[in-house]
């Protein structure tokens, strides 16, 4: 089976990357080059994580051959175990692992994967980011804009590299060859990646176990959903106002530039990017003929149209994203409320207030019955999340301990190195590969999940349900390509498979061999790579006590904190928004539907997810026709909230409590939002 495992993992990882990208990207609307570039970046990074354990097991087998200097015995058992008698010498035989990769394949494979990912992250993806955000009307115009925006970016690298070459040329004590220059470049890229890696890892090691532990608290999840609803409503309203302002500018441009103007094609291109209802309102104004050369007429320049085109693309995508996220959040809030109500059910059958928007698969309906759903949601799922959180917390402790002690070789203190060395003594390759995969997979989850959750203004945001823009997709590919190589080197250091860490004259892994010897830069190999990862302890402590969240709250960026008054106000506001959303959609029929949950409601009323998100536009100015209820200041105080409660029995849809600022303005609108989860 030599090479079969490598081929299977290559195919599996490709479909895994394609599936994850399909969740965040939109294959139908986004440019194919953006999808292909992002898919390639994600695929290469995931591939490194999955193939590295095979490299480790192959390296251990090759070390065994060198140590015994004997011919290996073929083992075709896929389990990797051996039943042959142990030689008279008492040493274990060097059985070939089932996933053995022939010599010469892995160095070529790693070289192609690594340099392709580096080309993507440092050259191609930054250029494609500028190209995707450009408002140019032609391919040439977009390329020109992208080159201008990246001129400083590329020029800085060339300046640093040129200065370094001059320094080497004038210094007679330095005689660097091409391989050494290549190693210095790799070390510089890995140093930058390791700096960011430790920051993301310190957050993920604490937040992932904590999020699963809090996931077992129904009251906590419901309160956080209300909090998100209040913040999302702010963003949704801001996106609608911004879209109306941009459409007003488009209307003015459309009326000023007639059909015989040279820039009319540019205006038509902008109109195609506008929502359908705005296109129907504006039309093309082809009836009125005006001479565009008249001096008293002022026309926008092509540069201003390029800027307007860019604003239209951004505002339309943001408006669409907030509308979709709002509908999904409503579904989540209604479902969590159903879970809270069903926890006290005597029949132990899960009853939904609303029917699902899409009919479930018959196979799922047959096995996932209302009784099974009740036991899972109300009884088993909380305990499953608690057990999973404990297991993840143990993994996090092991990682933190190993990051602080992996430089010690005598005695070996890194737990990852201890586990691998114990398996290496018996040449249990299956155990070695499983242990390596679980270890590097957990490290990758801690780092990658933070990349998926972090949000910086509205420039970088990975939104699920096909709502991520091209710029964010490409930026995530850049981050993955820069974080994965130092992540793998850090893992090899934790397991003492890196000779730079273990200080042993043994055969290195194929992945380490393409990185070159870090002895060229001893201050990095013996200093930064060893001691900087210890900073993860401080970052974990800061994340555990939510120091970053508290600082953001002090700066005015509302974050979910159970002991904060602003959080309580936003939770009340979100609860009121959910209640008002229900009343606006279904009127007074809610009482009947909650009493008779087993009775199917009218599809026209129950399918709330298909309600049109396009508001009727009578004018192209900002709408101010708020209902009378928005102008009334609710004075009733909400009862204290228990964020640590295991259940939540209050019916939020029947609660009339809500806190608003005078004038009907939501509390969440009083300050701008930058971050969601981080």
């Amino acid at each position: 089976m030599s090479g079969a495992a490598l081929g299977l993992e290559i195919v599996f990882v490709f479909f895994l990357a394609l599936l994850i990208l399909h969740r965040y990207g939109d294959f139908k609307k986004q440019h194919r080059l953006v999808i292909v570039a992002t898919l390639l970046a994600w695929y290469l990074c995931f591939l490194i994580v999955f193939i590295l354990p095979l490299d480790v097991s192959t390296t251990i087998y090759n070390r065994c051959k060198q140590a015994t200097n004997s011919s290996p015995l073929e083992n075709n058992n896929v389990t990797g175990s051996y039943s042959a008698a142990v030689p008279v010498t008492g040493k274990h035989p060097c059985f070939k692992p089932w996933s053995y990769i022939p010599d010469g394949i892995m160095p070529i494979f790693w070289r192609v994967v690594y340099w392709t990912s580096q080309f993507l992250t440092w050259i191609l993806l930054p250029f494609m980011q500028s190209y995707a955000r450009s408002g140019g009307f032609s391919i040439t115009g977009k390329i020109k804009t992208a080159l201008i925006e990246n001129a400083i970016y590329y020029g800085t690298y060339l300046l640093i590299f040129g200065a370094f070459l001059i320094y080497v040329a004038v210094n007679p004590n330095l005689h660097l060859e091409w391989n050494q220059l290549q190693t210095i470049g790799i070390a510089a890229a890995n140093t930058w990646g390791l700096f960011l890696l430790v920051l993301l890892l310190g957050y993920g090691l604490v937040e992932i176990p904590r999020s699963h532990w809090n996931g077992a608290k129904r009251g906590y999840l419901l309160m956080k959903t209300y909090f998100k609803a209040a913040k999302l409503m702010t963003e949704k309203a801001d996106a609608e106002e911004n879209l109306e302002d941009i459409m007003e500018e488009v209307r003015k441009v459309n009326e000023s530039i007639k059909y015989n103007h040279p820039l009319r094609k540019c205006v038509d291109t902008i109109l195609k990017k506008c929502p359908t209802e705005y296109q129907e309102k504006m039309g093309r104004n082809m009836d009125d003929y005006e001479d565009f050369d008249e001096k008293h007429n002022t026309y926008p320049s092509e540069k201003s149209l390029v800027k307007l085109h860019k604003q239209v693309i951004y505002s339309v995508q943001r408006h669409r994203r907030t509308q979709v996220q709002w509908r999904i959040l409503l579904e989540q809030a209604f479902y969590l409320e159903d879970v809270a109500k069903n926890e006290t059910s005597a029949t132990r059958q899960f009853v939904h207030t609303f029917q699902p928007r899409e009919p479930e698969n018959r196979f799922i309906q047959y096995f996932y019955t209302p009784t099974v759903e009740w036991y899972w949601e109300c009884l088993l799922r909380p305990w499953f999340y608690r057990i999973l959180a404990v297991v993840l917390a143990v993994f996090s402790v092991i990682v933190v301990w190993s990051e602080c002690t992996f430089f010690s070789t005598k005695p070996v203190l890194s737990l990852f190195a201890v586990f691998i060395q114990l398996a290496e003594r018996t040449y249990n390759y299956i155990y070695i590969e499983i242990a390596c995969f679980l270890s590097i997979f957990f490290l990758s989850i801690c780092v990658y999940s933070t990349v998926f959750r972090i949000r910086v203004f509205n420039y970088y945001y990975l939104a699920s349900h096909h709502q991520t823009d091209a710029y964010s997709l490409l930026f995530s590919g850049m981050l993955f390509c820069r974080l994965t190589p130092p992540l793998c080197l850090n893992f090899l250091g934790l397991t003492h498979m890196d000779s730079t860490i273990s200080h042993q004259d043994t055969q290195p892994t194929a992945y380490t061999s393409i990185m070159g010897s870090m002895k060229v830069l001893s201050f990095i190999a013996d200093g930064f790579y060893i001691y900087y990862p210890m900073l993860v302890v401080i970052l974990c402590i800061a994340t555990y006590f939510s120091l970053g969240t508290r600082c953001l709250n002090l700066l005015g960026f509302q974050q979910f904190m159970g002991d904060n008054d602003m959080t309580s106000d936003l939770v009340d506001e979100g609860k009121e928004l959910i209640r008002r959303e229900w009343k606006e959609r279904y009127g007074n029929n809610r009482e009947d539907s909650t009493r008779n949950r087993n009775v199917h409601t009218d599809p026209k009323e129950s399918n709330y997810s298909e309600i049109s998100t396009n508001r009727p536009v009578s004018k192209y100015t900002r709408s101010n026709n708020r209902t009378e209820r928005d102008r009334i200041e609710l004075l009733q105080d909400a009862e204290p909230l228990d964020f640590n409660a295991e259940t939540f029995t209050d019916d939020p849809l029947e609660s009339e409590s809500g806190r608003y600022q005078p004038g009907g303005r939501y509390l969440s609108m009083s300050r701008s939002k930058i971050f969601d989860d981080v």
Side-chain angles (χ1 to χ4, degrees):
M1 294 186 65
S2 298
L6 178 62
L8 291 176
E9 291 199 4
I10 289 176
V11 176
F12 171 76
V13 173
F14 174 79
F15 287 102
L16 176 63
L18 186 65
L19 180 64
I20 298 176
L21 181 59
H22 178 264
R23 174 177 174 81
Y24 290 90
D26 192 341
F27 292 174
K28 296 180 180 180
K29 296 181 179 180
Q30 288 174 336
H31 200 282
R32 292 182 180 179
L33 291 179
V34 174
I35 297 297
V36 171
T38 306
L39 176 62
L40 181 60
W42 289 16
Y43 172 60
L44 294 178
C45 296
F46 296 166
L47 195 62
I48 295 175
V49 173
F50 277 81
I51 301 299
L52 192 61
L54 303 184
D55 190 8
V56 172
S57 62
T58 301
T59 302
I60 291 176
Y61 168 71
N62 292 332
R63 289 178 180 179
C64 178
K65 288 196 303 180
Q66 290 181 351
T68 58
N69 197 20
S70 61
S71 60
L73 299 177
E74 188 73 28
N75 179 22
N76 295 324
N77 186 4
V78 296
T79 61
S81 61
Y82 48 85
S83 57
V86 179
V88 179
T89 58
K91 297 181 180 180
H92 290 280
C94 298
F95 289 103
K96 182 182 294 185
W98 73 279
S99 59
Y100 174 76
I101 301 175
D103 296 338
I105 294 181
M106 288 306 299
I108 298 176
F109 175 81
W110 286 131
R111 191 171 288 109
V112 172
V113 170
Y114 177 78
W115 289 112
T116 303
S117 64
Q118 294 305 299
F119 173 77
L120 289 173
T121 186
W122 296 107
I123 298 178
L124 183 60
L125 293 183
F127 175 82
M128 293 189 64
Q129 275 187 303
S130 301
Y131 183 90
R133 290 184 67 91
S134 174
F137 299 100
S138 63
I139 297 177
T140 305
K142 291 185 177 181
I143 293 177
K144 181 180 178 181
T145 302
L147 290 176
I148 294 175
E149 290 183 358
N150 288 274
I152 300 177
Y153 179 79
Y154 296 136
T156 303
Y157 292 134
L158 292 176
L159 181 62
I160 295 175
F161 184 72
F164 179 77
L165 290 180
I166 295 175
Y167 174 76
V168 172
V170 300
N171 193 336
N173 297 326
L174 293 179
H175 300 283
L176 297 180
E177 300 178 355
W178 169 250
N179 292 334
Q180 294 175 326
L181 291 177
Q182 179 179 320
T183 301
I184 292 174
I186 294 175
N190 290 336
T191 301
W192 189 97
L194 184 63
F195 177 80
L196 182 60
L197 173 70
V198 173
L199 298 179
L200 301 180
L201 183 63
Y203 176 83
L205 288 173
V206 175
E207 190 59 30
I208 289 180
R210 181 163 58 186
S211 62
H212 284 80
W213 181 265
N214 292 331
K217 303 176 182 179
R218 295 299 179 188
Y220 179 91
L221 288 180
L222 192 54
M223 292 299 101
K224 192 170 184 179
T225 303
Y226 290 148
F227 179 85
K228 290 181 178 180
K231 297 188 68 175
L232 184 58
M233 175 56 72
T234 303
E235 184 180 2
K236 179 170 171 287
D238 183 64
E240 292 174 352
E241 294 176 355
N242 179 260
L243 180 63
E244 291 176 359
D245 292 341
I246 298 299
M247 290 300 104
E248 172 66 13
E249 295 183 15
V250 174
R251 181 190 66 83
K252 294 178 181 179
V253 171
N254 182 62
E255 292 179 352
S256 62
I257 298 181
K258 301 302 180 180
Y259 71 95
N260 59 338
H261 197 283
L263 297 178
R264 184 63 209 186
K265 293 182 179 180
C266 300
V267 177
D268 292 339
T269 303
I270 295 176
L271 289 177
K272 292 179 182 179
K273 304 296 177 62
C274 299
T276 305
E277 70 274 13
Y278 289 100
Q279 295 183 30
E280 295 175 353
K281 290 288 184 179
M282 285 182 281
R284 293 192 58 178
N285 292 337
M286 297 186 64
D287 296 333
D288 298 331
Y289 181 90
E290 292 183 8
D291 187 2
F292 59 85
D293 289 331
E294 293 183 3
K295 297 181 179 179
H296 63 273
N297 290 338
T298 57
Y299 300 99
S301 62
E302 184 177 358
K303 185 177 180 180
S304 62
L305 291 180
V306 169
K307 181 179 179 182
L308 180 61
H309 186 204
K310 183 177 180 180
Q311 293 175 343
V312 168
I313 296 174
Y314 171 75
S315 60
V316 171
Q317 197 280 334
R318 183 188 177 199
H319 177 262
R320 185 189 305 116
R321 171 172 54 83
T322 54
Q323 296 291 336
V324 173
Q325 288 180 326
W326 177 250
R327 294 198 302 270
I328 295 172
L329 191 63
L330 287 178
E331 295 177 8
Q332 182 181 359
F334 290 147
Y335 184 77
L336 290 175
E337 289 167 356
D338 287 342
V339 172
K341 295 174 183 176
N342 280 275
E343 286 180 344
T344 58
S345 175
T347 60
R348 296 195 172 186
Q349 289 189 350
F350 198 94
V351 181
H352 293 269
T353 302
F354 309 109
Q355 297 301 318
R357 61 178 180 177
E358 296 181 1
E360 294 182 353
N361 188 285
R362 292 184 178 180
F363 180 81
I364 298 178
Q365 289 180 344
Y366 180 78
F367 289 98
Y368 199 62
T369 61
T371 302
V372 175
E373 185 176 6
W374 186 91
Y375 275 99
W376 168 248
E377 292 291 345
C378 302
L379 188 62
L380 299 178
R381 187 172 183 175
W383 285 104
F384 172 78
Y385 271 66
R386 292 189 185 98
I387 295 175
L388 181 60
V390 172
V391 173
L392 294 175
V394 172
F395 266 95
S396 296
V397 173
I398 293 176
V399 171
V400 173
W401 170 263
S402 300
E403 290 285 1
C404 296
T405 59
F406 73 93
F407 61 89
S408 176
T409 56
K410 293 181 181 180
V412 178
L413 299 179
S414 173
L415 296 181
F416 290 107
V418 171
F419 297 151
I420 297 301
Q421 290 179 6
L422 288 177
E424 186 178 359
R425 294 174 183 175
T426 59
Y427 300 101
N428 191 341
Y429 298 110
I430 290 294
Y431 173 82
I432 292 174
E433 292 174 3
I434 292 177
C436 290
F437 175 75
L438 292 179
S439 302
I440 194 172
F441 183 74
F442 178 73
L443 293 174
S444 303
I445 290 296
C446 292
V447 176
Y448 293 164
S449 63
T450 308
V451 175
F452 278 99
R453 295 180 62 180
I454 197 172
R455 177 177 181 179
V456 181
F457 295 95
N458 286 313
Y459 294 103
Y460 173 73
Y461 180 32
L462 290 177
S464 58
H465 299 87
H466 322 292
Q467 299 303 312
T468 305
D469 59 0
Y471 183 88
S472 298
L473 287 176
L474 294 171
F475 191 75
S476 67
M478 290 174 52
L479 287 179
F480 286 158
C481 290
R482 297 182 187 185
L483 291 171
T484 304
L487 172 66
C488 294
L489 284 179
N490 181 254
F491 164 75
L492 294 175
L494 295 178
T495 57
H496 288 185
M497 294 298 296
D498 189 353
S499 58
T500 305
I501 303 299
S502 61
H503 301 290
Q504 296 178 0
D505 189 13
T506 57
Q507 180 180 355
T509 60
Y511 185 82
T512 308
S513 63
I514 69 166
M515 295 295 175
S517 176
M518 294 301 172
K519 295 180 181 179
V520 179
L521 300 174
S522 58
F523 66 93
I524 294 181
D526 299 332
F528 185 79
Y529 283 176
I530 298 296
Y531 298 105
Y532 179 73
M534 297 182 185
L535 187 63
V536 73
V537 178
I538 300 177
L539 295 173
C540 288
I541 294 175
T543 305
Y544 179 80
F545 291 102
S546 303
L547 297 183
T549 302
R550 299 179 188 276
C551 291
L552 290 175
N553 272 327
L554 292 176
L555 295 176
F557 308 128
Q558 297 91 355
Q559 302 294 303
F560 184 79
M561 297 181 60
D563 56 348
N564 186 268
D565 293 336
M566 181 60 69
T567 299
S568 301
D569 295 337
L570 291 177
V571 167
D572 294 340
E573 179 183 319
K575 186 190 303 184
E576 177 67 16
L577 288 171
I578 299 296
R579 182 191 66 82
R580 288 177 56 244
E581 186 71 23
W582 164 251
K583 286 190 174 182
E584 290 179 1
R585 293 186 176 188
Y586 305 106
N588 297 324
N589 294 329
R590 177 185 175 277
E591 216 177 296
D592 298 333
S593 64
T594 53
R595 292 177 182 175
N596 305 303
R597 291 182 178 177
N598 291 325
V599 180
H600 295 284
T601 58
D602 186 0
K604 295 181 180 179
E605 297 179 353
S606 61
N607 194 8
Y608 59 88
S609 64
E610 297 179 357
I611 291 181
S612 174
T613 61
N614 298 326
R615 294 165 35 181
V617 181
S618 58
K619 297 182 180 179
Y620 297 96
T621 56
R622 188 171 301 176
S623 176
N624 293 320
N625 53 347
R626 296 185 176 179
T627 60
E628 186 65 24
R629 284 177 298 177
D630 294 333
R631 300 190 183 96
I632 299 176
E633 179 180 4
L634 302 179
L635 300 177
Q636 181 179 357
D637 291 331
E639 295 182 3
L641 301 173
D642 184 8
F643 292 96
N644 297 320
E646 299 294 331
T647 61
F648 184 74
T649 57
D650 185 21
D651 187 356
L653 297 182
E654 296 178 357
S655 173
E656 298 292 338
S657 64
R659 298 181 181 179
Y660 298 90
Q661 290 183 348
R665 185 173 180 84
Y666 293 118
L667 284 169
S668 57
M669 293 185 181
S670 60
R671 298 174 182 175
S672 60
K673 182 184 75 169
I674 289 186
F675 302 96
D676 270 347
D677 298 312
V678 180

